[in-house]
Amino acid sequence: MMVPGSPIPDLEGGFRRKDLLGLAELSREEILHVLHTAARFKEISEREIKKVPTLRGRSVIHLFMEPSTRTKTSFDVAAKRLSADTFAVGGSSSATSKGETRIETARNVEAMRPDILVIRHRHPGSAALLARILSCSVINAGDGSHEHPTQALLDMMTIRDRLGSLEGRTVTIVGDITHSRVIRSNLHGLRKLGAQVRVCGPPTMIPPGIERLGCRAYEDLREAIDGVDVVMMLRIQMERLGRKGQLLPSEREYANRWGLTLDSMQYTRDDVLVMHPGPINRGVEMAPEVADGPWSIILDQVTNGVAVRMAVMYLLAPKGGSLARDDS
Ligand code: CP
């Protein structure tokens, strides 16, 4: 179990990255360094005054070109708890709705001299593209069906809070595997931390050859969740199915075969942990009694999201701050 306030293990050379684009590129040591840093930052959100001066004078711009509740709010809360100034761009009120490209928008936003740009965009590779042309740090808050690195980091932190370590644990991820950026980031992260990963869903939603990424694929939910430590349910990505809507069985069939219900919970361990990145389609991928039941650590994921995003921004931002209380 990690103790908030415990020393952060040394990472040879420190966390020397300009950007956080995905977990494919992070080493096991870098992932652990972020998680240990997040464990220290978590304590700040338990204080009466939830603010430290660590990023005072730094600016963070949130550029969200796709809807978000958890990620956007969590980045904003995290930045403000570190005393950074935050600004939001995107959506129907921005010039993107007049046809401005993401590169043009990003260049104009960077001309305002932010230290960090947090971007969510529907196109895979958007964050990497901006990271190449901008000099500020870029954090990928979800690029199409590619990666969602801070989601996987908070998922791993939440599992480690409960189980101590991911080494030798088995995690089953259920749902629309093809279109999920959450699975891609989790696959990289979970495997680097020593977990075994199973994926499960309609065969039309599991990419052929997924086993090459180091997981086992299942069609049968009961078989997939039998004996595992964690079951992570995914949202069906309706917005990414488009004309491929035929890949999805009817919602009713999906709920019957791949939905996590009190009935299917009989096939799991009693102490299994149930997760979901949100937003949940209650009654489709998960029954309300399971989402709100004793196995669920879904709201712990949200709480840890703030700590993980504080850690990531702290590690990427130009240094000079501390974890001290803001007593000034
Ligand atoms: N988990 C997640 O990315 O949720 P939002 O879409 O609400 O940010």
Side-chain angles (χ1 to χ4, degrees):
M1 190 76 68
M2 292 181 294
V3 182
S6 63
I8 300 170
D10 274 346
L11 178 67
E12 202 171 327
F15 192 89
R16 292 181 185 279
R17 287 189 179 270
K18 171 180 158 292
D19 313 294
L20 178 66
L21 305 177
L23 295 196
E25 67 210 37
L26 291 200
S27 67
R28 171 188 166 87
E29 289 69 32
E30 286 175 304
I31 291 171
L32 286 172
H33 193 78
V34 176
L35 297 182
H36 282 279
T37 308
R40 288 193 66 189
F41 276 113
K42 188 172 176 179
E43 177 266 330
I44 293 164
S45 295
E46 307 302 326
R47 296 179 188 176
E48 191 181 345
I49 306 295
K50 302 171 180 56
K51 207 170 182 77
V52 291
T54 311
L55 294 188
R56 184 185 287 155
R58 306 290 179 203
S59 307
V60 179
I61 294 187
H62 307 298
L63 182 56
F64 275 66
M65 322 285 251
E66 268 194 335
S68 169
T69 297
R70 279 144 291 269
T71 311
K72 187 175 176 186
T73 311
S74 178
F75 266 111
D76 201 38
V77 169
K80 287 188 164 87
R81 289 198 176 150
L82 294 174
S83 300
D85 298 312
T86 67
F87 309 88
V89 190
S92 56
S93 63
S94 76
T96 56
S97 64
K98 301 179 195 168
E100 187 173 68
T101 66
R102 68 198 138 151
I103 294 178
E104 195 62 25
T105 302
R107 281 197 200 281
N108 277 270
V109 165
E110 189 183 48
M112 300 175 205
R113 302 285 180 263
D115 297 287
I116 297 174
L117 181 72
V118 181
I119 177 168
R120 169 171 287 191
H121 198 283
R122 69 180 185 284
H123 286 147
S126 290
L129 176 69
L130 297 190
R132 278 198 295 278
I133 60 174
L134 303 183
S135 56
C136 66
S137 291
V138 174
I139 300 176
N140 181 6
D143 59 333
S145 53
H146 178 227
E147 280 229 36
H148 192 350
T150 56
Q151 178 67 47
L153 287 164
L154 74 88
D155 291 339
M156 291 186 285
M157 178 177 181
T158 309
I159 299 172
R160 281 163 51 88
D161 277 354
R162 294 293 180 123
L163 302 181
S165 164
L166 278 157
E167 204 68 52
R169 302 292 186 176
T170 305
V171 179
T172 295
I173 306 179
V174 183
D176 178 5
I177 306 299
T178 301
H179 297 98
S180 171
R181 52 196 174 207
V182 175
I183 168 102
R184 247 166 281 286
S185 291
N186 264 297
L187 251 178
H188 292 299
L190 289 168
R191 292 203 9 91
K192 283 173 185 174
L193 296 199
Q196 293 175 10
V197 181
R198 301 178 181 181
V199 299
C200 175
T204 49
M205 291 182 158
I206 298 185
I210 184 107
E211 288 90 352
R212 284 200 295 274
L213 296 179
C215 59
R216 263 187 86 177
Y218 293 75
E219 183 175 345
D220 185 80
L221 178 68
R222 293 172 179 182
E223 203 186 326
I225 63 178
D226 182 19
V228 303
D229 299 284
V230 180
V231 178
M232 186 185 294
M233 304 304 289
L234 299 177
R235 185 175 67 86
I236 300 171
Q237 309 271 301
M238 287 297 187
E239 70 277 25
R240 289 186 225 293
L241 289 176
R243 294 209 322 242
K244 296 178 284 181
Q246 67 271 22
L247 296 181
L248 179 71
S250 70
E251 278 195 0
R252 192 163 160 187
E253 186 191 347
Y254 186 91
N256 282 340
R257 293 190 60 189
W258 293 283
L260 201 58
T261 60
L262 286 179
D263 182 45
S264 46
M265 288 302 290
Q266 293 175 36
Y267 296 85
T268 64
R269 288 165 44 155
D270 291 344
D271 59 353
V272 72
L273 302 175
V274 171
M275 307 176 77
H276 194 300
I280 305 171
N281 295 308
R282 285 174 180 251
V284 181
E285 60 248 13
M286 189 181 278
E289 304 79 36
V290 178
D292 303 326
W295 319 271
S296 173
I297 53 171
I298 293 169
L299 292 180
D300 295 346
Q301 293 173 261
V302 179
T303 300
N304 283 338
V306 174
V308 157
R309 287 161 182 138
M310 288 170 89
V312 168
M313 287 189 276
Y314 165 74
L315 291 169
L316 294 180
K319 291 295 171 286
S322 74
L323 296 182
R325 283 171 199 271
D326 187 359
D327 293 329
S328 58

